[in-house]
Amino acid sequence: DSGVTQTPKHLITATGQRVTLRCSPRSGDLSVYWYQQSLDQGLQFLIQYYNGEERAKGNILERFSAQQFPDLHSELNLSSLELGDSALYFCASSVAGTLNTEAFFGQGTRLTVV
Amino acid sequence: QQQVKQSPQSLIVQKGGISIINCAYENTAFDYFPWYQQFPGKGPALLIAIRPDVSEKKEGRFTISFNKSAKQFSLHIMDSQPGDSATYFCAARHIGSARQLTFGSGTQLTVLP
């Protein structure tokens, strides 16, 4: 168990809908990263938050947004969903800012858009 | 733009054999190179990692070899076991405050009993 908790584990929704994925980082970790894993794209970095503030953006669509709350949990919001958004979404956490920071991944949320 | 290239895409090895997975990176702004192991239905889990000032790191049956001048690094799994069957990802961590990881495309390893 990595200590990173993601909910829900599975999500099935229709095209055009909006969903929210939740991530609780490991105790003491200030950074949260979101990754998308699809069969044809592998693991793609979406966005990172550090202590409540956005730190970096990757290949995140404008239909997607995220935030990190004062208790350090994070939510990834996906809207106007398309079939191609079906993927595994992973959250990872780390203590950023040192050379020996490791990123620990949650078990992911499998999103299926039908 | 793929900054970390991984090969092979899939690998089949006999039990007791050596599994070798290779990665090459294109961007020098990386300071840390981890390998992750992922089982079906699970998240990637850190397996072993190396910094660019070290040429080799060994942990049990797992060894990373790192060639800074060639911008290449590889994972060797000695005495491969059926329980090692999983998908392996190499990654490179960006220098700077974000520290995000860029992943290779993954290698699906199957170790035959």
Side-chain angles (χ1 to χ4, degrees):
Chain A
D1 182 5
S2 67
V4 179
T5 303
Q6 288 187 249
T7 57
K9 288 194 174 130
H10 302 277
L11 197 50
I12 302 175
T13 190
T15 54
Q17 294 298 304
R18 172 189 168 96
V19 297
T20 297
L21 313 183
R22 183 187 168 103
C23 169
S24 295
R26 293 188 321 153
S27 176
D29 284 359
L30 300 178
S31 266
V32 169
Y33 304 79
W34 286 98
Y35 288 85
Q36 180 191 56
Q37 185 177 38
S38 56
L39 283 176
D40 58 343
Q41 292 290 322
L43 272 161
Q44 297 286 315
F45 169 66
L46 295 178
I47 196 166
Q48 182 217 0
Y49 278 81
Y50 176 77
N51 203 21
E53 294 190 1
E54 182 183 303
R55 178 68 65 93
K57 262 186 176 179
N59 301 320
I60 188 166
L61 300 172
E62 286 192 8
R63 300 183 285 109
F64 296 0
S65 65
Q67 54 184 327
Q68 187 178 28
F69 295 87
D71 67 352
L72 300 177
H73 90 272
S74 178
E75 293 181 355
L76 179 67
N77 300 296
L78 314 176
S79 61
S80 303
L81 285 167
E82 303 174 359
L83 295 177
D85 298 326
S86 296
L88 269 167
Y89 290 84
F90 286 105
C91 166
S93 75
S94 73
V95 177
T98 69
L99 281 176
N100 293 323
T101 22
E102 312 293 352
F104 293 86
F105 284 76
Q107 295 207 353
T109 293
R110 181 175 292 281
L111 172 66
T112 302
V113 182
V114 298
Chain B
Q1 180 185 1
Q2 187 180 9
Q3 296 179 309
V4 180
K5 294 183 179 178
Q6 183 172 346
S7 63
Q9 188 174 1
S10 62
L11 182 61
I12 299 175
V13 174
Q14 292 286 341
K15 178 182 175 181
I18 301 174
S19 303
I20 301 174
I21 304 171
N22 300 300
C23 283
Y25 62 99
E26 303 172 348
N27 185 332
T28 55
F30 297 130
D31 67 349
Y32 185 72
F33 299 86
W35 285 87
Y36 283 82
Q37 180 188 55
Q38 185 178 26
F39 292 103
K42 303 292 185 182
L46 181 65
L47 185 63
I48 187 173
I50 197 167
R51 290 212 294 267
D53 54 346
V54 176
S55 61
E56 185 175 282
K57 183 174 181 181
K58 183 175 180 179
E59 290 184 0
R61 296 184 293 110
F62 300 92
T63 300
I64 300 178
S65 297
F66 189 86
N67 186 329
K68 189 174 181 178
S69 60
K71 296 182 186 175
Q72 295 175 347
F73 57 111
S74 59
L75 176 69
H76 291 62
I77 305 175
M78 311 300 288
D79 187 28
S80 299
Q81 299 296 312
D84 297 330
S85 297
T87 301
Y88 293 80
F89 293 93
C90 62
R93 189 177 68 189
H94 290 245
I95 290 173
S97 59
R99 315 301 252 171
Q100 75 268 30
L101 294 169
T102 293
F103 285 85
S105 53
T107 296
Q108 188 166 354
L109 171 66
T110 302
V111 181
L112 301 175

